[in-house]
Amino acid sequence: MPALKLYHYPRTCSRITVTALIKMGIDFESVIIDIKKGEQQSPAYLAVNPDGKVPALLDDGEVLTQNAAILTYLHRMQPTAGLLPSTDELVQEI
């Protein structure tokens, strides 16, 4: 079973996180939260993300929400994957 569980819904901003995980080759469990049916407000999902929004990434009991936080976390997991530019690259551009 994959260590990461991603709660998301197609055609929303959570697709960014799905794409990043696939690009990085990270195995994850995909859990679709049907926002058209209001599943993001279900007690079960609110227990994961009290904000009731997608995406939410669960890793070892810790939950991350918001794409920026999740992408930063994934980058720190595998900095050589090139998901985000390195700090050195950013400094050189300034």
Side-chain angles (χ1 to χ4, degrees), residues 39-88:
E39 290 178 358
Q40 74 278 16
Q41 297 301 318
S42 71
Y45 186 64
L46 290 173
V48 173
N49 182 1
D51 290 334
K53 296 180 181 181
V54 292
L57 181 70
L58 180 63
D59 184 17
D60 196 27
E62 297 294 321
V63 177
L64 287 151
T65 61
Q66 304 289 330
N67 278 318
I70 295 169
L71 296 177
T72 300
Y73 181 76
L74 294 175
H75 174 71
R76 289 181 179 160
M77 283 177 63
Q78 291 187 11
T80 58
L83 180 63
L84 300 175
S86 71
T87 305
D88 293 338

Side-chain angles (χ1 to χ4, degrees), residues 4 6 8 12-28 55 57 66-78 80-84:
L4 299 178
L6 179 66
H8 65 99
T12 65
C13 67
S14 62
R15 181 65 189 163
I16 294 166
T17 300
V18 173
T19 301
L21 286 162
I22 292 169
K23 177 184 184 237
M24 295 174 77
I26 297 174
D27 192 26
F28 67 99
L57 181 70
Q66 304 289 330
N67 278 318
I70 295 169
L71 296 177
T72 300
Y73 181 76
L74 294 175
H75 174 71
R76 289 181 179 160
M77 283 177 63
Q78 291 187 11
T80 58
L83 180 63
L84 300 175

